[in-house]
Amino acid sequence: MLVCIHYTNAQDYPIISDMVTDNAAIFSDKEAASLRQKLVSYEVKSSHEIVVLTIHGLDGDTIEYYAYSVFNQDGNNFGKEGIDNGILILIAPNDRKVRIEVGDGLEFIITDAFASRIIRERITPLFKQGRFFDGIDAATTELIKLIEDPIYANEFANSIKEEAVSTRDKSTDGVHYMTKIIVSCILLVFFFWIGVYAYYRLIIKKSFKTFKLKTLYKNHKTKFLIYAAIALLIVHSFYVFFLKLFFGLLLTGFLSIFVFIGYFVLLKMAFTRAILIFKSLFTGQLGVFIYPFYIPTTLFLFVAGFLFGSLPIVMGFFFMLSLVFGEDINRFMANVEFIYVLFFFLSVIILFHFIAIYFAIYQIKGEYNKTFGFSFFKRDAKLHSELNPGSARGYSSSGSSSYSSSSYSSSRSSSSSSSSSYSGGGGRSSGGGASGSW
């Protein structure tokens, strides 16, 4: 529910079609035109895009998340595709917040430290005096100097080389040798017991309790040590893979608890209750006007079970999607319309009712002492005791046989076009930059 509410309340972020978008009206027309001309000229000259956006307030978002969402929203994507050489300066005067969001391609030059220094030394002092244009003009001038300075250009090239070497070193010798040994031993023990358990239960069909490690070691001491050494070398060589596998199994086991509770406990209770209610409704044991009072509890059980069981599966699917195809989950979810989510959820609830009705009719036809009929205000005491077992202790039933929840134990279901002054392109940002307040 919280996930749905979060994305339901997600605000729409502006589509930028100009180098200067002054939604908060903090610049005069002359100031905005001057700043726009400066940034457009620089983009034509260098292809680097510095975009200024002002908004009244953040509406509950953090300045970092708002800037990141605007930067990466379809239709914006500041900077050129593949180069990611865009910069967004976001100002929210009502919240007294400012953010410099830097594209991935310029992060080696406009580091977080540089962006923070520009905000601290160029923007904040002037913003405190209400001189918004002067602050942004000084900040953009400083950004252009940093990008164009040959010193920083050389540092940029060296940073790329150092990053490549650092990445290569980390992939091989970045982890201490003793750490590899310790982690490998732990993983070896973990996967050894999983393998033994699977061998006894699935292959030789014996109880796992019959396995004795001490006996195995005594009878095959040499082979045991050789196999253990080989296994340790294998795990040591691929310890990153086995470590990911370990945490993957751990996470899967944890999420499986939610799936089990959702599908096999709560959802089963919801179906059992719904079938009993519809069965009583169609046989006249439950009045038509009394039936609505039993709906809320049934729907609550169904919604709780469906969310508990489905959310881990859905989130796992999106995680795999982002892992395999590199999709941005936040961007994907932010673009999902609430009406589609609501329509899907209502469709599932309707399907749930149809399944319950089908099994209720099927069971009525299978019982010789049950006939179809309807009543208006009747509420059978026996039905009430079955739906609320805790409130009917000591109740003694007589007469026709009642519906048992076990009879259903085997039946579960399962954007905007750009103006000539802003070319856009497809640049991305991973969240680099700095924020500040005044």
Side-chain angles (χ1 to χ4, degrees), residues 172-183 236 239:
T172 54
D173 300 324
V175 179
H176 196 275
Y177 186 79
M178 287 305 300
T179 303
K180 287 185 178 182
I181 293 294
I182 295 172
V183 173
H236 176 264
Y239 84 104

Side-chain angles (χ1 to χ4, degrees), residues 179-222:
T179 303
K180 287 185 178 182
I181 293 294
I182 295 172
V183 173
S184 299
C185 290
I186 295 173
L187 294 177
L188 177 61
V189 173
F190 175 77
F191 288 112
F192 171 77
W193 284 112
I194 288 181
V196 171
Y197 181 83
Y199 175 75
Y200 268 74
R201 293 301 300 268
L202 302 177
I203 298 178
I204 64 176
K205 307 293 185 182
K206 290 184 179 180
S207 173
F208 179 67
K209 295 179 180 180
T210 60
F211 173 74
K212 302 294 182 182
L213 181 62
K214 189 174 182 180
T215 304
L216 178 65
Y217 174 74
K218 285 183 177 180
N219 296 338
H220 309 281
K221 186 175 182 180
T222 304

Side-chain angles (χ1 to χ4, degrees), residues 115-327:
S116 179
R117 192 194 73 183
I118 292 171
I119 292 174
R120 187 174 61 254
E121 297 181 1
R122 296 289 184 269
I123 296 179
T124 301
L126 294 172
F127 274 24
K128 287 181 178 179
Q129 302 174 25
R131 298 163 60 188
F132 295 103
F133 170 76
D134 293 335
I136 296 302
D137 185 53
T140 53
T141 300
E142 186 73 15
L143 288 170
I144 292 172
K145 285 182 179 179
L146 285 171
I147 297 172
E148 296 298 319
D149 196 320
I151 296 177
Y152 296 117
N154 292 333
E155 288 185 2
F156 175 53
N158 293 332
S159 297
I160 294 177
K161 294 178 182 178
E162 291 174 2
E163 182 69 18
V165 173
S166 176
T167 303
R168 185 170 64 251
D169 292 342
K170 286 182 180 178
S171 64
T172 54
D173 300 324
V175 179
H176 196 275
Y177 186 79
M178 287 305 300
T179 303
K180 287 185 178 182
I181 293 294
I182 295 172
V183 173
S184 299
C185 290
I186 295 173
L187 294 177
L188 177 61
V189 173
F190 175 77
F191 288 112
F192 171 77
W193 284 112
I194 288 181
V196 171
Y197 181 83
Y199 175 75
Y200 268 74
R201 293 301 300 268
L202 302 177
I203 298 178
I204 64 176
K205 307 293 185 182
K206 290 184 179 180
S207 173
F208 179 67
K209 295 179 180 180
T210 60
F211 173 74
K212 302 294 182 182
L213 181 62
K214 189 174 182 180
T215 304
L216 178 65
Y217 174 74
K218 285 183 177 180
N219 296 338
H220 309 281
K221 186 175 182 180
T222 304
K223 291 182 179 180
F224 183 88
L225 292 176
I226 293 174
Y227 290 147
I230 293 173
L232 182 60
L233 289 175
I234 293 174
V235 175
H236 176 264
S237 300
F238 301 99
Y239 84 104
V240 174
F241 168 77
F242 283 105
L243 192 63
K244 291 181 178 179
L245 180 61
F246 169 76
F247 284 110
L249 291 174
L250 195 66
L251 181 62
T252 302
F254 176 73
L255 294 180
S256 298
I257 298 174
F258 290 91
V259 176
F260 176 80
I261 293 176
Y263 285 159
F264 300 102
V265 178
L266 297 177
L267 208 57
K268 182 180 177 181
M269 289 173 59
F271 270 110
T272 302
R273 182 182 177 89
I275 291 172
L276 179 57
I277 290 174
F278 282 120
K279 187 177 176 182
S280 302
L281 179 66
F282 296 153
T283 56
Q285 292 180 286
L286 181 65
V288 175
F289 294 105
I290 304 298
Y291 159 74
F293 294 98
Y294 289 88
I295 293 178
T297 304
T298 307
L299 283 180
F300 172 78
L301 288 172
F302 171 74
V303 171
F306 183 75
L307 290 178
F308 257 79
S310 300
L311 279 179
I313 297 175
V314 172
M315 297 309 294
F317 170 77
F318 281 125
F319 175 75
M320 292 300 299
L321 193 67
S322 65
L323 195 64
V324 176
F325 298 102
E327 292 290 335

